[in-house]
Amino acid sequence: SGKDYANSVRQTANGGYIVAGYTNSTDGDVVGNHGGDDVWMVKFSSSGIVEWTKALGGTGNDAATYVQQTADHGYVIAGYSSSNDGDVSGNHGGDDAWVVKLDSVGNLQWQKSLGGNNNDAATAIQQLADGGYIVGCYAISENNGDVFMSHGAAEFWVVKLSATGSIEWSLCLGGQSYEYAHDIHQTADGGF
């Protein structure tokens, strides 16, 4: 009966589909909302039957912008969160970029809040051959928390995570106005 949004859908290895978005509903197909907007995951079979759903987040607003199936047949989600309770820990202030790793049936394996004291968000993610992840973000935070070398306003922010979600490196790209990353992919030469 609330707002329910799908932001990303991918076909899975078994021919089904994984959908990621957000919801503030607490009824119908939605079970386990933590308050406000929660990340909402729905796994469909190849014929469109709901296999499982999962609400993730805390009492703030949380949303998924991108989902990808991982090599272990789990899922990695990129999005944002203003929560610091429930499934979310380590928020730096405002919205943080939020990366979540789920197993194949939607159980939380790990999560990582990335950002500073302003609003930051993850908009894309790709698993890499080393098992880690490259995350495309934008950062409004300036030179605090996890955000360094910011030039001002909103910037492209690229973050490399290990297979368990630890930050290996990050890079801010931009100028004094607004830049937003919407997608990221690894290139044939191993770059991005």
Side-chain angles (χ1 to χ4, degrees):
S1 61
K3 300 180 300 181
D4 315 297
Y5 294 95
N7 288 332
S8 181
V9 61
R10 298 283 183 269
Q11 191 164 30
T12 57
N14 68 358
Y17 301 91
I18 188 74
V19 181
Y22 64 98
T23 182
N24 68 6
S25 297
T26 57
D27 57 2
D29 298 313
V30 182
V31 177
N33 185 297
H34 297 81
D37 294 336
D38 264 15
V39 167
W40 195 38
M41 305 293 299
V42 182
K43 172 64 172 71
F44 292 97
S45 70
S46 59
S47 59
I49 296 168
V50 174
E51 295 180 339
W52 54 263
T53 70
K54 183 77 171 186
L56 298 159
T59 54
N61 289 323
D62 319 294
T65 56
Y66 199 95
V67 63
Q68 183 192 43
Q69 191 167 35
T70 52
D72 63 359
H73 296 281
Y75 303 95
V76 66
I77 304 157
Y80 60 87
S81 174
S82 65
S83 300
N84 203 19
D85 58 5
D87 298 315
V88 188
S89 62
N91 184 283
H92 298 83
D95 289 337
D96 268 9
W98 196 36
V99 176
V100 180
K101 174 66 173 71
L102 303 177
D103 68 14
S104 62
V105 293
N107 296 312
L108 181 67
Q109 293 184 301
W110 55 261
Q111 61 87 40
K112 183 73 174 181
S113 293
L114 304 164
N117 62 7
N118 210 323
N119 292 330
D120 314 298
T123 55
I125 193 164
Q126 184 181 13
Q127 189 174 35
L128 306 175
D130 68 1
Y133 303 90
I134 194 74
V135 189
C137 306
Y138 66 82
I140 298 177
S141 297
E142 293 185 42
N143 301 314
N144 63 79
D146 300 318
V147 182
F148 296 100
M149 303 302 291
S150 172
H151 303 91
E155 298 208 354
F156 284 10
W157 186 33
V158 179
V159 182
K160 170 64 168 69
L161 299 177
S162 72
T164 56
S166 299
I167 297 174
E168 294 184 345
W169 55 262
S170 74
L171 178 65
C172 284
L173 300 166
Q176 293 181 355
S177 193
Y178 295 87
E179 296 84 32
Y180 294 93
H182 292 288
D183 208 350
I184 192 163
H185 293 278
Q186 191 162 34
T187 53
D189 64 1
F192 306 99

